[in-house]
Amino acid sequence: MKSLSILGSTGSIGTNALKIAGMFTDKFRIKALAAKNNVLMLAQQIKKFSPDIAVVFDEQSAMDLKRITSGIDVEILYGDEGYKVAASYDQVDMVVAAMVGSAGLLPVLAAIEAGKDIALANKETLVMAGDIVIKSAEKKGVKILPVDSEHSAIFQCLSGQRKEDMDKILLTASGGPFLNLPSSGFDKIKPEDAINHPVWQMGKKISIDSATMMNKGLEVIEAKHLFEVSVDDIEVLIHPQSIVHSMVSFKDGTVIAQMGIPDMKGAIAYAMSYPKRLPIGQSFPDFNSIGSLSFKKPDTEKFPCIDLAFYAGKTGGTLPAVMNASNEIAVEAFLNRKISFTYIPEVIRKTMEKHFVIANPMLSDILEADLWARSIAAEQISG
Ligand code: MG
């Protein structure tokens, strides 16, 4: 029996993780749930899974949650302290880190510090502070199991292989909803167009990241840290069918690919039960009806976020945190119809250009760079 804490339980990863936990009640027990402010869904989850602890973002949500769950024996906490408690709770073996954006960093570090294995969906954590996170996980002997489908694929392709035999990581991308839209149409893109991802059902932030292809950029930096490679050893390939979840090439000309239907449950279940595989009722790709799998290089003029991320990943230091923070601000401004779709990479680029990179940052430098980037990005938007 594995005891879990799920951070971000009401999001798309969190709800799928709970679906899996609900399918295998002999294997998983839910000890803590943390969400932002979707108290209605969280209350239902509490009723179904009876965690010891539930955490929300603010005091008001905590009061609402207490009212809805009155009579149920659950400790309700809120804010940064609450998330930390859920991440480091002594009854928990593994933390599923599925919070959105930079909010995941401190809880993940608290979980590692407490010796918990991490099923990591929150890529921003590694983008912001990959060196610190990986180093402290190594020090604590904690496993970080990727939940991001591409990284789960790479992890599986590398399993049983010698790192020195690796040639390159081939990171696949669906290309998002605007892959075939001519760049002349990009200025007219509305938030609702961008939220409708053609293949993957995901939250708003990651759907926009997917549309700008910043998601792939974040994933390049995530892969750099998870697999301890240089970004020069990572190549992005557009693969619209999303059947190959990523590949690794080796010195002898071999390429290993991991495939499956595009459903995040596979990667989540694998991280939750590694090294075992669970019969989650997933169907297989129907190769006969798919017919062909295609691959091509991304158009980085149409999707400048990819180059920005490669640059940030190569430079390292505080720059990836700055890129990530300015992206979060730009995405939010786009969702609130304050800026156009094509201005998202502009906000990021301008903020990155103004930043004075600290090469070997401490956590405090990273958090400071994150805050700095948010205010500079906000200036690009209002000015
Ligand atoms: Mg992914």
Side-chain angles (χ1 to χ4, degrees):
M1 186 70 94
K2 198 180 268 183
S3 293
L4 303 176
S5 171
I6 303 200
L7 310 180
S9 68
T10 57
S12 62
I13 302 281
T15 50
N16 276 300
L18 284 175
K19 247 182 230 165
I20 294 159
M23 285 164 76
F24 301 95
T25 49
D26 56 326
K27 290 190 167 61
F28 303 108
R29 199 172 19 211
I30 305 299
K31 285 287 180 182
L33 291 173
K36 193 173 181 188
N37 50 20
N38 189 345
V39 292
L40 288 178
M41 193 193 288
L42 184 57
Q44 285 171 357
Q45 295 176 342
I46 292 169
K47 282 173 196 158
K48 180 152 185 214
F49 292 97
S50 320
D52 299 346
I53 300 172
V55 188
V56 284
F57 180 65
D58 55 14
E59 193 174 6
Q60 182 59 50
S61 306
M63 284 181 347
D64 293 343
L65 186 63
K66 268 183 196 157
R67 194 163 24 80
I68 307 172
T69 57
S70 70
I72 299 175
D73 186 20
V74 57
E75 190 181 350
I76 293 172
L77 305 168
Y78 66 89
D80 290 344
E81 251 336 284
Y83 292 129
K84 231 182 193 171
V85 171
S88 53
Y89 185 33
D90 63 0
Q91 299 289 309
V92 161
D93 307 309
M94 172 180 262
V95 171
V96 178
M99 293 167 80
V100 177
S102 55
L105 175 60
L106 295 178
V108 166
L109 285 172
I112 292 171
E113 202 47 47
K116 315 296 181 195
D117 285 337
I118 314 278
L120 187 72
N122 180 250
K123 59 192 84 182
E124 290 87 346
T125 293
L126 287 179
V127 171
M128 289 175 75
D131 288 335
I132 292 172
V133 170
I134 297 295
K135 246 179 237 151
S136 53
E138 276 167 6
K139 203 171 98 196
K140 286 277 171 183
V142 158
K143 282 201 240 6
I144 296 189
L145 296 153
V147 167
D148 210 346
S149 62
E150 294 80 357
H151 303 75
S152 176
I154 297 160
F155 179 75
Q156 293 177 59
C157 294
L158 284 171
S159 149
Q161 304 295 333
R162 303 185 325 149
K163 172 110 186 281
E164 56 268 42
D165 292 336
M166 195 194 92
D167 168 62
K168 220 177 219 179
I169 287 173
L170 301 163
L171 189 71
T172 54
S174 70
F178 309 126
L179 178 62
N180 299 315
L181 183 74
S183 40
S184 57
F186 270 43
D187 253 334
K188 294 180 202 75
I189 294 172
K190 301 239 153 23
E192 51 274 26
D193 309 325
I195 287 166
N196 287 323
H197 193 276
V199 190
W200 298 92
Q201 292 300 314
M202 306 177 291
K204 267 187 204 165
K205 155 81 171 40
I206 189 170
S207 293
I208 304 301
D209 284 346
S210 196
T212 61
M213 291 201 72
M214 179 52 97
N215 183 52
K216 211 45 56 179
L218 296 170
E219 288 181 356
V220 167
I221 303 175
E222 182 185 11
K224 166 192 156 174
H225 292 294
L226 270 177
F227 306 109
E228 297 178 87
V229 297
S230 137
V231 295
D232 296 329
D233 296 328
I234 305 171
E235 192 180 323
V236 173
L237 276 177
I238 304 280
H239 169 49
Q241 298 85 8
S242 298
I243 296 296
V244 172
H245 295 156
S246 276
M247 307 183 262
V248 176
S249 60
F250 295 90
K251 282 203 281 222
D252 61 354
T254 294
V255 180
I256 299 184
Q258 189 267 351
M259 295 187 240
I261 61 163
D263 181 321
M264 60 180 80
K265 279 204 286 301
I268 299 170
Y270 191 63
M272 282 167 66
S273 67
Y274 173 80
K276 292 184 196 144
R277 293 182 187 270
L278 296 173
I280 54 171
Q282 194 88 296
S283 58
F284 296 96
D286 179 356
F287 289 106
N288 186 50
S289 70
I290 295 165
S292 60
L293 300 175
S294 61
F295 302 90
K296 68 172 180 189
K297 273 193 183 307
D299 179 345
T300 53
E301 266 172 38
K302 246 163 87 172
F303 299 103
C305 285
I306 299 177
D307 282 345
L308 290 172
F310 266 97
Y311 180 72
K314 202 165 177 159
T315 307
T318 42
L319 197 57
V322 165
M323 179 194 80
N324 177 65
S326 53
N327 178 55
E328 285 185 18
I329 296 296
V331 167
E332 199 181 282
F334 171 67
L335 283 169
N336 294 329
R337 296 170 204 276
K338 285 190 188 138
I339 61 170
S340 69
F341 186 78
T342 48
Y343 200 61
I344 296 174
E346 281 303 294
V347 170
I348 302 164
R349 188 179 55 77
K350 286 179 181 169
T351 309
M352 281 168 67
E353 277 171 6
K354 286 187 199 298
H355 183 59
F356 202 76
V357 178
I358 300 174
N360 290 301
M362 303 202 305
L363 183 60
S364 55
D365 299 321
I366 290 168
L367 297 175
E368 209 171 290
D370 172 273
L371 281 179
W372 173 88
R374 283 167 200 277
S375 70
I376 300 297
E379 277 173 26
Q380 314 303 318
I381 289 158
S382 60

